[in-house]
Amino acid sequence: MLLTDTIRRYWQGQGFARPVLHVHLAPGELAWLEKRGGQPVARTQGRLPLSSLDGHWQAALAALHVLLDEDDHKHRLPLAISVASRWCPVLMAPWSDALLREPQAGQYLQTQMATQYGEQARGWHVTADDAAYGGPRLACGIDAALLQGLREAAREHGRRCLSIEPLLSAAWQHTGKANMQALALLEAGHLLLAAGSKGRIRAIHMQPCSGAWLRELPQAWQRWTLRRPDLARIAEVAVLNMSSEAIAAALLPTPGTQFRMLNAPGLPGWQAGTTRAEQVAACA
């Protein structure tokens, strides 16, 4: 989603086999793992819990410096960074002829962000994907100071930064295939629904989410499809748990319906589900 994403696609398209350190910044933790040729490298994943009570991104940025400090004596892998929706929110920007030229395009996207997220968004760095003419654009915003801090962290540690992007973009590219039509992305206190086709996100819905997300997910999907009848034909919704709570696939709403828990071991910060034995122990 961000400009450096172009570098990552070129890097992968050229078939480079050198490992890449994937890092995810979230209010509760910093997570990472190494991947080579798009596949996770065994025993390279890690998490660093963050104790910041206000959930400010400064704690995650400081943790990133700690991680890179510890890793510097081993190797200086290029970085692919994803950022939680709280710090890198997204929206679907309706088509406007302003998108055809700068600076009108940037001004239009910032206005869209400010309308949805408040006036503080006018200080964000905002960018959008390259959807076809006339179609809505998936846009993201990030605090300019956080973006600068991430770039400086990479530069100070001699790392090439291949991508800085919202979690939704990273998750869709990691788990998405040409036939995946919908994704339910769960983060701490946040539920994001995305629908798309041919590998591109074309619609999103966001809402706060409590710990009762197993009940809230089907309700949110139903409300969204009532507003967007064209989405009602989607037969399967992939569910990706990026919260700190382990949820078993067997506990998904109404087994046998369209919700399917994704196994995403190659995505830093992904939370595995509990086993059936752990469920029994927890209920004992």
Side-chain angles (χ1 to χ4, degrees), residues 222-277:
Q222 183 180 40
R223 287 194 298 268
W224 194 30
T225 54
L226 287 174
R227 295 195 302 272
R228 292 286 305 266
D230 57 305
L231 302 180
R233 59 179 173 77
I234 294 177
E236 185 175 83
V237 180
V239 180
L240 183 60
N241 181 18
M242 296 291 288
S243 73
S244 59
E245 181 182 4
I247 300 294
L251 299 180
L252 280 175
T254 318
T257 62
Q258 73 266 42
F259 300 104
R260 176 175 62 89
M261 185 74 79
L262 281 176
N263 179 7
L267 196 65
W270 169 73
Q271 176 62 58
T274 57
T275 65
R276 184 167 296 278

Side-chain angles (χ1 to χ4, degrees), residues 77-220:
L77 299 183
L79 302 176
I81 301 173
S82 61
V83 183
S85 299
R86 177 171 177 176
W87 298 330
C88 193
V90 295
L91 58 75
M92 294 303 300
W95 172 259
S96 168
D97 287 343
L99 293 168
L100 295 175
R101 64 191 68 85
E102 291 290 356
Q104 291 91 336
Q107 294 167 353
Y108 171 73
L109 292 173
Q110 283 211 318
T111 298
Q112 292 293 311
M113 280 285 174
T115 298
Q116 182 156 330
Y117 294 107
E119 285 301 308
Q120 72 271 14
R122 295 194 182 277
W124 294 350
H125 176 89
V126 181
T127 189
D129 67 6
D130 56 350
Y133 177 89
R137 299 274 178 101
L138 179 63
C140 69
I142 184 171
D143 189 316
L146 171 56
L147 180 59
Q148 181 181 356
L150 293 173
R151 288 171 171 168
E152 289 179 350
R155 185 165 52 250
E156 289 174 12
H157 293 273
R159 309 297 184 103
R160 186 175 187 184
C161 192
L162 304 181
S163 63
I164 302 172
E165 61 187 335
L167 174 60
L168 174 62
S169 177
W172 186 274
Q173 292 177 55
H174 173 79
T175 61
K177 297 179 181 178
N179 59 353
M180 188 176 84
Q181 296 181 298
L183 173 68
L185 179 61
L186 176 71
E187 300 176 78
H190 188 84
L191 175 64
L192 199 159
L193 302 175
S197 61
K198 298 180 179 178
R200 181 182 295 277
I201 297 173
R202 303 186 185 278
I204 60 174
H205 165 76
M206 298 164 289
Q207 67 176 56
C209 185
S210 70
W213 74 274
L214 288 170
R215 184 186 71 249
E216 295 175 16
L217 173 57
Q219 295 173 349

